[in-house]
Amino acid sequence: MEKTSIAEALQHAQDTRAVVIEPGAHSLLPLHFQKHFPEHQAFVIADENTYKAAGADVCRILRASSIELLGEYVFPGTPQLKPDIKNVKLLQQKLMEHTAIPIAVGSGTINDIVKLASHRSGRAYIAVGTAASMDGYTAFAAAITHAGVKKVDPCPAPKIFIADLDVACQAPTQLTSSGYADLIAKLNSGADWLIADFVGSEPIQKEAWSLIQPSLRQWLENPEKIPQGDPAAVENLMVGLVMAGLAMQAARSSWPASGSEHLFSHLWEMRGLGREYVSHGHKVGVGTIASSAFVAALLEMDPARVDIEARMEAWPDFSSVQDQIQVSFSDPELIRTCISESRSKYVAREALQTRLEKIKDNWGTLRDQILAQLMSPGEIHERLLAAGCPIHPQEIGLPIETFKGDYARIRFLRARYTSFDLADELGFLDGLVESLFYEKGYWSAI
Protein backbone atom coordinates (compact mmCIF):
# COMPACT_ATOMS: atom_id res chain seq x y z
CA MET A 1 0.00 0.00 0.00
CA GLU A 2 2.78 2.43 0.89
CA LYS A 3 4.65 1.97 -2.39
CA THR A 4 1.45 2.43 -4.39
CA SER A 5 0.60 5.64 -2.55
CA ILE A 6 4.10 7.02 -3.03
CA ALA A 7 4.01 6.11 -6.72
CA GLU A 8 0.73 8.00 -7.04
CA ALA A 9 2.15 10.98 -5.19
CA LEU A 10 5.18 11.12 -7.48
CA GLN A 11 2.82 11.59 -10.41
CA HIS A 12 1.67 14.86 -8.83
CA ALA A 13 5.07 15.97 -7.50
CA GLN A 14 6.90 18.57 -9.53
CA ASP A 15 10.46 17.96 -8.35
CA THR A 16 10.99 14.49 -6.88
CA ARG A 17 11.28 11.64 -9.37
CA ALA A 18 12.27 8.74 -7.10
CA VAL A 19 11.65 7.72 -3.48
CA VAL A 20 13.24 4.66 -1.86
CA ILE A 21 12.26 3.68 1.70
CA GLU A 22 13.50 0.23 2.69
CA PRO A 23 16.23 -1.60 4.61
CA GLY A 24 19.61 -1.30 2.91
CA ALA A 25 18.39 1.54 0.67
CA HIS A 26 21.84 3.17 0.54
CA SER A 27 22.97 0.43 -1.84
CA LEU A 28 20.45 1.70 -4.41
CA LEU A 29 21.85 5.22 -4.46
CA PRO A 30 24.29 4.63 -7.37
CA LEU A 31 21.50 3.16 -9.54
CA HIS A 32 19.25 6.19 -9.08
CA PHE A 33 22.15 8.64 -9.34
CA GLN A 34 23.18 7.23 -12.71
CA LYS A 35 19.61 7.24 -13.97
CA HIS A 36 18.85 10.85 -13.08
CA PHE A 37 22.32 12.42 -13.12
CA PRO A 38 24.34 10.59 -15.81
CA GLU A 39 27.94 11.74 -16.24
CA HIS A 40 27.83 13.91 -13.13
CA GLN A 41 30.07 13.87 -10.08
CA ALA A 42 28.70 13.57 -6.56
CA PHE A 43 29.36 15.79 -3.54
CA VAL A 44 28.24 14.66 -0.07
CA ILE A 45 27.15 17.10 2.65
CA ALA A 46 26.55 16.09 6.29
CA ASP A 47 27.37 17.17 9.80
CA GLU A 48 29.65 15.18 12.10
CA ASN A 49 26.71 13.30 13.61
CA THR A 50 24.94 12.38 10.39
CA TYR A 51 28.26 11.53 8.74
CA LYS A 52 28.80 8.86 11.39
CA ALA A 53 25.21 7.64 11.10
CA ALA A 54 25.09 7.36 7.31
CA GLY A 55 27.47 9.70 5.49
CA ALA A 56 30.50 7.44 5.72
CA ASP A 57 28.43 4.53 4.35
CA VAL A 58 27.10 6.65 1.50
CA CYS A 59 30.64 7.73 0.58
CA ARG A 60 31.86 4.14 0.71
CA ILE A 61 29.07 2.96 -1.60
CA LEU A 62 29.68 5.78 -4.06
CA ARG A 63 33.43 5.11 -4.18
CA ALA A 64 32.73 1.44 -4.89
CA SER A 65 30.51 2.40 -7.84
CA SER A 66 31.28 4.00 -11.18
CA ILE A 67 30.21 7.40 -9.84
CA GLU A 68 32.97 9.87 -9.13
CA LEU A 69 32.77 11.29 -5.61
CA LEU A 70 34.30 14.74 -5.95
CA GLY A 71 34.43 15.28 -2.21
CA GLU A 72 32.45 15.91 0.93
CA TYR A 73 31.68 18.79 3.24
CA VAL A 74 31.00 18.03 6.91
CA PHE A 75 29.59 20.72 9.19
CA PRO A 76 30.64 20.58 12.87
CA GLY A 77 28.41 18.42 15.08
CA THR A 78 28.62 20.83 18.00
CA PRO A 79 27.27 23.33 18.62
CA GLN A 80 24.03 22.12 17.06
CA LEU A 81 23.82 23.13 13.41
CA LYS A 82 21.15 25.75 12.69
CA PRO A 83 19.08 26.21 9.52
CA ASP A 84 20.40 29.75 9.24
CA ILE A 85 20.95 31.73 6.06
CA LYS A 86 24.62 32.11 7.05
CA ASN A 87 25.10 28.35 6.71
CA VAL A 88 23.23 28.36 3.42
CA LYS A 89 25.58 31.02 2.04
CA LEU A 90 28.62 29.13 3.33
CA LEU A 91 27.57 25.96 1.54
CA GLN A 92 26.58 27.88 -1.56
CA GLN A 93 30.14 29.19 -1.83
CA LYS A 94 31.44 25.62 -1.64
CA LEU A 95 29.02 24.42 -4.32
CA MET A 96 29.89 27.25 -6.69
CA GLU A 97 33.43 25.85 -6.87
CA HIS A 98 32.20 22.88 -8.95
CA THR A 99 29.20 21.39 -10.76
CA ALA A 100 28.84 18.15 -8.79
CA ILE A 101 25.41 17.02 -7.57
CA PRO A 102 24.92 17.67 -3.84
CA ILE A 103 23.84 14.73 -1.69
CA ALA A 104 22.40 15.85 1.65
CA VAL A 105 22.88 13.21 4.37
CA GLY A 106 20.92 14.06 7.49
CA SER A 107 17.49 15.19 8.57
CA GLY A 108 15.78 18.58 8.84
CA THR A 109 18.58 21.08 9.20
CA ILE A 110 20.99 19.51 6.71
CA ASN A 111 18.20 18.99 4.20
CA ASP A 112 16.96 22.59 4.35
CA ILE A 113 20.47 24.05 4.10
CA VAL A 114 21.40 21.87 1.13
CA LYS A 115 18.01 22.39 -0.52
CA LEU A 116 18.29 26.17 -0.60
CA ALA A 117 22.04 26.25 -1.31
CA SER A 118 21.57 23.85 -4.25
CA HIS A 119 18.76 25.97 -5.65
CA ARG A 120 20.87 29.10 -5.38
CA SER A 121 23.68 27.24 -7.11
CA GLY A 122 21.43 26.34 -10.01
CA ARG A 123 21.23 22.56 -9.62
CA ALA A 124 19.08 19.73 -8.30
CA TYR A 125 20.13 17.61 -5.33
CA ILE A 126 19.60 14.25 -3.60
CA ALA A 127 18.43 13.77 -0.02
CA VAL A 128 19.45 10.78 2.07
CA GLY A 129 17.35 10.78 5.24
CA THR A 130 18.81 9.50 8.49
CA ALA A 131 15.73 9.67 10.73
CA ALA A 132 11.94 9.77 10.46
CA SER A 133 12.06 13.11 12.20
CA MET A 134 10.17 15.66 10.05
CA ASP A 135 8.19 16.18 6.84
CA GLY A 136 10.60 18.47 5.03
CA TYR A 137 12.63 15.87 3.12
CA THR A 138 10.38 15.94 0.06
CA ALA A 139 8.75 19.33 0.66
CA PHE A 140 8.92 22.25 -1.69
CA ALA A 141 10.71 25.17 0.04
CA ALA A 142 13.10 25.35 2.99
CA ALA A 143 12.49 26.76 6.47
CA ILE A 144 15.46 29.09 7.03
CA THR A 145 16.15 31.74 9.66
CA HIS A 146 17.06 35.18 8.29
CA ALA A 147 18.33 37.70 10.85
CA GLY A 148 16.40 35.91 13.58
CA VAL A 149 13.15 35.57 11.62
CA LYS A 150 11.99 32.14 10.44
CA LYS A 151 11.00 32.30 6.78
CA VAL A 152 9.96 29.80 4.13
CA ASP A 153 12.26 30.13 1.13
CA PRO A 154 10.78 28.74 -2.10
CA CYS A 155 13.09 26.14 -3.65
CA PRO A 156 12.67 22.71 -5.26
CA ALA A 157 12.53 19.48 -3.33
CA PRO A 158 15.20 16.80 -3.98
CA LYS A 159 15.05 14.90 -7.24
CA ILE A 160 15.77 11.67 -5.34
CA PHE A 161 14.97 10.79 -1.73
CA ILE A 162 16.44 7.70 -0.08
CA ALA A 163 15.81 6.48 3.46
CA ASP A 164 17.59 3.38 4.72
CA LEU A 165 15.28 1.93 7.37
CA ASP A 166 18.23 0.14 9.02
CA VAL A 167 19.60 3.61 9.79
CA ALA A 168 16.25 5.24 10.61
CA CYS A 169 15.39 2.55 13.18
CA GLN A 170 18.69 3.24 14.96
CA ALA A 171 18.14 7.01 15.08
CA PRO A 172 17.95 8.66 18.51
CA THR A 173 14.50 8.25 20.03
CA GLN A 174 13.98 11.99 20.32
CA LEU A 175 14.31 12.33 16.55
CA THR A 176 11.74 9.65 15.73
CA SER A 177 9.31 10.92 18.36
CA SER A 178 9.77 14.38 16.88
CA GLY A 179 8.68 12.98 13.52
CA TYR A 180 5.59 11.46 15.10
CA ALA A 181 4.66 14.86 16.55
CA ASP A 182 5.18 16.50 13.15
CA LEU A 183 2.92 13.91 11.51
CA ILE A 184 0.05 14.05 14.01
CA ALA A 185 0.04 17.83 13.48
CA LYS A 186 -1.39 17.22 9.99
CA LEU A 187 -4.78 16.56 11.59
CA ASN A 188 -4.82 20.13 12.87
CA SER A 189 -3.41 21.65 9.70
CA GLY A 190 -6.18 19.85 7.83
CA ALA A 191 -8.79 21.42 10.12
CA ASP A 192 -7.33 24.88 9.54
CA TRP A 193 -7.36 24.27 5.78
CA LEU A 194 -11.04 23.31 5.99
CA ILE A 195 -11.71 26.60 7.77
CA ALA A 196 -9.66 28.64 5.30
CA ASP A 197 -11.43 26.95 2.41
CA PHE A 198 -14.82 27.64 3.98
CA VAL A 199 -14.22 31.39 4.33
CA GLY A 200 -12.70 31.62 0.85
CA SER A 201 -9.17 32.40 1.99
CA GLU A 202 -7.39 29.28 0.65
CA PRO A 203 -9.28 26.71 -1.43
CA ILE A 204 -8.42 23.09 -0.69
CA GLN A 205 -6.41 21.44 -3.46
CA LYS A 206 -8.06 18.05 -3.70
CA GLU A 207 -5.04 16.22 -5.14
CA ALA A 208 -2.74 17.41 -2.36
CA TRP A 209 -5.37 16.69 0.30
CA SER A 210 -5.88 13.15 -0.99
CA LEU A 211 -2.18 12.34 -0.72
CA ILE A 212 -2.08 12.67 3.04
CA GLN A 213 -5.40 12.99 4.87
CA PRO A 214 -7.11 9.67 3.92
CA SER A 215 -4.19 7.56 5.23
CA LEU A 216 -3.06 9.80 8.08
CA ARG A 217 -4.60 7.82 10.92
CA GLN A 218 -3.09 4.61 9.52
CA TRP A 219 0.39 6.14 9.57
CA LEU A 220 -0.18 7.29 13.15
CA GLU A 221 -0.94 3.82 14.51
CA ASN A 222 1.06 2.26 17.36
CA PRO A 223 2.76 5.36 18.80
CA GLU A 224 4.03 3.26 21.72
CA LYS A 225 6.32 1.41 19.28
CA ILE A 226 8.07 4.59 18.15
CA PRO A 227 10.49 4.76 21.14
CA GLN A 228 11.42 1.10 20.49
CA GLY A 229 12.55 1.83 16.93
CA ASP A 230 10.08 -0.81 15.75
CA PRO A 231 10.73 -1.34 12.00
CA ALA A 232 7.06 -1.39 10.95
CA ALA A 233 6.20 1.70 13.03
CA VAL A 234 9.25 3.63 11.77
CA GLU A 235 8.50 2.69 8.16
CA ASN A 236 4.87 3.78 8.58
CA LEU A 237 6.05 7.06 10.06
CA MET A 238 8.63 7.68 7.34
CA VAL A 239 6.08 7.00 4.61
CA GLY A 240 3.62 9.43 6.18
CA LEU A 241 6.22 12.17 6.51
CA VAL A 242 7.41 11.70 2.94
CA MET A 243 3.84 11.74 1.68
CA ALA A 244 3.26 15.01 3.54
CA GLY A 245 6.26 16.48 1.76
CA LEU A 246 5.04 15.23 -1.61
CA ALA A 247 1.62 16.75 -0.90
CA MET A 248 3.33 20.10 -0.30
CA GLN A 249 5.13 19.67 -3.61
CA ALA A 250 1.86 19.01 -5.38
CA ALA A 251 0.26 22.06 -3.77
CA ARG A 252 3.39 24.22 -4.13
CA SER A 253 2.53 25.32 -0.63
CA SER A 254 2.91 24.12 2.95
CA TRP A 255 -0.88 24.23 3.46
CA PRO A 256 -1.25 20.41 3.36
CA ALA A 257 1.02 20.05 6.37
CA SER A 258 1.17 23.27 8.37
CA GLY A 259 -1.48 25.23 10.23
CA SER A 260 -1.88 27.05 13.52
CA GLU A 261 0.09 24.35 15.38
CA HIS A 262 3.17 25.22 13.34
CA LEU A 263 2.71 28.92 14.04
CA PHE A 264 3.33 28.20 17.72
CA SER A 265 6.55 26.41 16.82
CA HIS A 266 7.69 29.15 14.43
CA LEU A 267 7.15 31.79 17.10
CA TRP A 268 9.09 29.82 19.71
CA GLU A 269 11.94 29.17 17.29
CA MET A 270 12.20 32.84 16.35
CA ARG A 271 12.20 33.74 20.01
CA GLY A 272 15.08 31.34 20.56
CA LEU A 273 13.22 28.78 22.65
CA GLY A 274 14.90 25.42 22.72
CA ARG A 275 17.38 26.04 19.93
CA GLU A 276 19.85 23.79 21.66
CA TYR A 277 17.67 21.06 23.08
CA VAL A 278 14.09 21.05 21.75
CA SER A 279 13.44 19.78 18.24
CA HIS A 280 11.13 21.44 15.76
CA GLY A 281 8.78 18.45 15.90
CA HIS A 282 8.52 18.48 19.68
CA LYS A 283 7.61 22.17 19.63
CA VAL A 284 5.05 21.39 16.92
CA GLY A 285 3.66 18.62 19.15
CA VAL A 286 3.01 21.02 22.01
CA GLY A 287 1.59 23.46 19.47
CA THR A 288 -0.71 20.72 18.21
CA ILE A 289 -2.14 20.14 21.67
CA ALA A 290 -2.48 23.91 22.10
CA SER A 291 -4.29 24.24 18.79
CA SER A 292 -6.55 21.22 19.30
CA ALA A 293 -7.59 22.38 22.78
CA PHE A 294 -8.41 25.80 21.34
CA VAL A 295 -10.44 24.39 18.43
CA ALA A 296 -12.32 22.04 20.77
CA ALA A 297 -13.35 25.05 22.85
CA LEU A 298 -14.23 27.02 19.70
CA LEU A 299 -16.56 24.26 18.50
CA GLU A 300 -18.53 24.54 21.72
CA MET A 301 -19.38 28.16 20.93
CA ASP A 302 -22.53 29.26 19.12
CA PRO A 303 -21.97 31.86 16.37
CA ALA A 304 -25.75 32.37 16.23
CA ARG A 305 -25.42 34.65 19.25
CA VAL A 306 -22.89 36.91 17.50
CA ASP A 307 -24.22 40.42 16.87
CA ILE A 308 -22.83 41.09 13.40
CA GLU A 309 -23.49 44.83 13.49
CA ALA A 310 -21.68 45.11 16.82
CA ARG A 311 -18.74 43.09 15.47
CA MET A 312 -18.49 45.35 12.43
CA GLU A 313 -18.56 48.44 14.61
CA ALA A 314 -15.86 47.04 16.88
CA TRP A 315 -13.73 45.70 14.03
CA PRO A 316 -10.32 47.47 14.07
CA ASP A 317 -8.90 49.21 11.03
CA PHE A 318 -5.49 47.98 9.96
CA SER A 319 -3.63 50.76 11.74
CA SER A 320 -5.00 49.34 15.00
CA VAL A 321 -3.81 45.87 13.98
CA GLN A 322 -0.35 47.34 13.43
CA ASP A 323 -0.48 48.80 16.93
CA GLN A 324 -1.33 45.35 18.33
CA ILE A 325 1.65 43.88 16.50
CA GLN A 326 3.97 46.59 17.80
CA VAL A 327 2.91 45.76 21.36
CA SER A 328 3.08 41.98 20.84
CA PHE A 329 6.68 41.78 19.57
CA SER A 330 9.98 43.51 20.24
CA ASP A 331 12.17 42.48 17.31
CA PRO A 332 11.95 45.11 14.52
CA GLU A 333 12.38 42.61 11.68
CA LEU A 334 9.71 40.33 13.12
CA ILE A 335 7.36 43.29 13.52
CA ARG A 336 7.83 44.22 9.85
CA THR A 337 7.18 40.62 8.81
CA CYS A 338 4.04 40.37 10.94
CA ILE A 339 2.65 43.64 9.59
CA SER A 340 3.20 42.50 6.01
CA GLU A 341 1.71 39.05 6.58
CA SER A 342 -1.28 40.37 8.53
CA ARG A 343 -2.05 42.98 5.91
CA SER A 344 -2.40 40.21 3.33
CA LYS A 345 -5.30 38.57 5.17
CA TYR A 346 -6.93 41.61 6.73
CA VAL A 347 -10.61 41.97 5.82
CA ALA A 348 -12.54 45.22 5.68
CA ARG A 349 -15.81 45.64 7.55
CA GLU A 350 -18.01 44.92 4.52
CA ALA A 351 -16.19 41.67 3.75
CA LEU A 352 -16.35 40.74 7.44
CA GLN A 353 -20.13 41.11 7.41
CA THR A 354 -20.46 38.70 4.48
CA ARG A 355 -18.12 36.21 6.12
CA LEU A 356 -19.87 36.28 9.49
CA GLU A 357 -23.25 35.79 7.86
CA LYS A 358 -21.93 32.75 6.02
CA ILE A 359 -20.46 31.33 9.23
CA LYS A 360 -23.73 31.79 11.13
CA ASP A 361 -25.77 30.20 8.35
CA ASN A 362 -23.45 27.18 7.89
CA TRP A 363 -21.88 26.64 11.29
CA GLY A 364 -23.34 23.16 11.78
CA THR A 365 -21.86 21.89 8.53
CA LEU A 366 -18.43 23.41 9.19
CA ARG A 367 -18.44 22.14 12.78
CA ASP A 368 -19.19 18.59 11.65
CA GLN A 369 -16.34 18.69 9.10
CA ILE A 370 -13.86 19.84 11.73
CA LEU A 371 -15.01 17.27 14.29
CA ALA A 372 -14.56 14.50 11.72
CA GLN A 373 -11.07 15.76 10.89
CA LEU A 374 -9.64 16.13 14.40
CA MET A 375 -8.68 13.88 17.26
CA SER A 376 -9.63 15.15 20.70
CA PRO A 377 -6.96 17.03 22.68
CA GLY A 378 -6.93 14.13 25.13
CA GLU A 379 -6.24 11.54 22.45
CA ILE A 380 -3.47 13.64 20.91
CA HIS A 381 -2.02 14.07 24.41
CA GLU A 382 -2.00 10.30 25.00
CA ARG A 383 -0.52 9.47 21.60
CA LEU A 384 2.29 12.01 21.95
CA LEU A 385 3.03 10.75 25.45
CA ALA A 386 3.19 7.15 24.17
CA ALA A 387 5.57 8.21 21.39
CA GLY A 388 7.92 9.85 23.89
CA CYS A 389 7.07 13.48 23.11
CA PRO A 390 6.74 16.42 25.52
CA ILE A 391 3.10 17.35 26.07
CA HIS A 392 3.26 20.48 28.24
CA PRO A 393 4.84 23.88 27.47
CA GLN A 394 6.90 23.76 30.65
CA GLU A 395 8.59 20.59 29.36
CA ILE A 396 10.07 22.61 26.50
CA GLY A 397 11.15 25.47 28.74
CA LEU A 398 8.17 27.77 28.12
CA PRO A 399 6.69 29.68 31.08
CA ILE A 400 2.93 29.26 31.25
CA GLU A 401 2.21 32.99 31.15
CA THR A 402 4.31 33.43 28.03
CA PHE A 403 2.57 30.44 26.48
CA LYS A 404 -0.84 31.94 27.27
CA GLY A 405 0.12 35.19 25.58
CA ASP A 406 1.28 33.33 22.49
CA TYR A 407 -2.30 32.26 21.76
CA ALA A 408 -3.05 35.85 20.79
CA ARG A 409 0.26 36.43 18.98
CA ILE A 410 0.53 33.56 16.52
CA ARG A 411 -2.13 34.76 14.08
CA PHE A 412 0.08 37.73 13.19
CA LEU A 413 2.98 35.59 11.97
CA ARG A 414 1.59 34.43 8.63
CA ALA A 415 -0.98 35.42 6.04
CA ARG A 416 -2.42 31.94 6.58
CA TYR A 417 -6.03 31.99 7.82
CA THR A 418 -6.58 29.59 10.73
CA SER A 419 -9.01 28.81 13.52
CA PHE A 420 -7.48 31.67 15.51
CA ASP A 421 -8.48 34.19 12.84
CA LEU A 422 -11.98 32.72 12.76
CA ALA A 423 -12.29 33.04 16.54
CA ASP A 424 -10.97 36.61 16.41
CA GLU A 425 -13.50 37.63 13.76
CA LEU A 426 -16.34 36.11 15.76
CA GLY A 427 -15.17 37.94 18.88
CA PHE A 428 -14.43 34.71 20.76
CA LEU A 429 -10.62 34.74 20.83
CA ASP A 430 -9.87 36.35 24.18
CA GLY A 431 -12.63 34.49 26.02
CA LEU A 432 -11.54 31.13 24.60
CA VAL A 433 -7.94 31.68 25.67
CA GLU A 434 -9.05 32.59 29.19
CA SER A 435 -11.20 29.46 29.33
CA LEU A 436 -8.15 27.27 28.63
CA PHE A 437 -6.13 28.75 31.49
CA TYR A 438 -8.62 29.38 34.28
CA GLU A 439 -8.41 27.07 37.33
CA LYS A 440 -10.56 24.35 35.73
CA GLY A 441 -9.45 24.98 32.16
CA TYR A 442 -7.51 22.59 29.92
CA TRP A 443 -4.00 23.76 30.80
CA SER A 444 -4.73 23.87 34.52
CA ALA A 445 -6.03 20.32 34.51
CA ILE A 446 -3.01 18.50 33.03
Side-chain angles (χ1 to χ4, degrees), residues 21-91:
I21 303 173
E22 60 185 67
H26 290 170
S27 64
L28 298 175
L29 175 58
L31 174 67
H32 288 281
F33 190 102
Q34 289 170 335
K35 178 179 178 180
H36 294 282
F37 299 105
E39 300 181 3
H40 278 78
Q41 298 169 310
F43 187 75
V44 170
I45 301 103
D47 66 26
E48 290 175 338
N49 300 315
T50 63
Y51 188 83
K52 291 177 183 177
D57 189 48
V58 167
C59 290
R60 177 188 62 78
I61 288 171
L62 289 172
R63 290 191 179 100
S65 73
S66 60
I67 298 165
E68 181 182 353
L69 177 60
L70 180 66
E72 53 199 58
Y73 184 79
V74 181
F75 286 96
T78 54
Q80 183 179 343
L81 185 65
K82 304 294 192 302
D84 192 275
I85 191 63
K86 294 179 181 178
N87 289 321
V88 173
K89 291 179 178 179
L90 173 63
L91 180 59

Side-chain angles (χ1 to χ4, degrees), residues 305-323:
R305 67 181 179 84
V306 173
D307 184 333
I308 293 180
E309 290 188 5
R311 286 303 301 150
M312 290 178 63
E313 187 173 339
W315 190 242
D317 56 26
F318 191 71
S319 64
S320 298
V321 176
Q322 288 184 247
D323 291 341

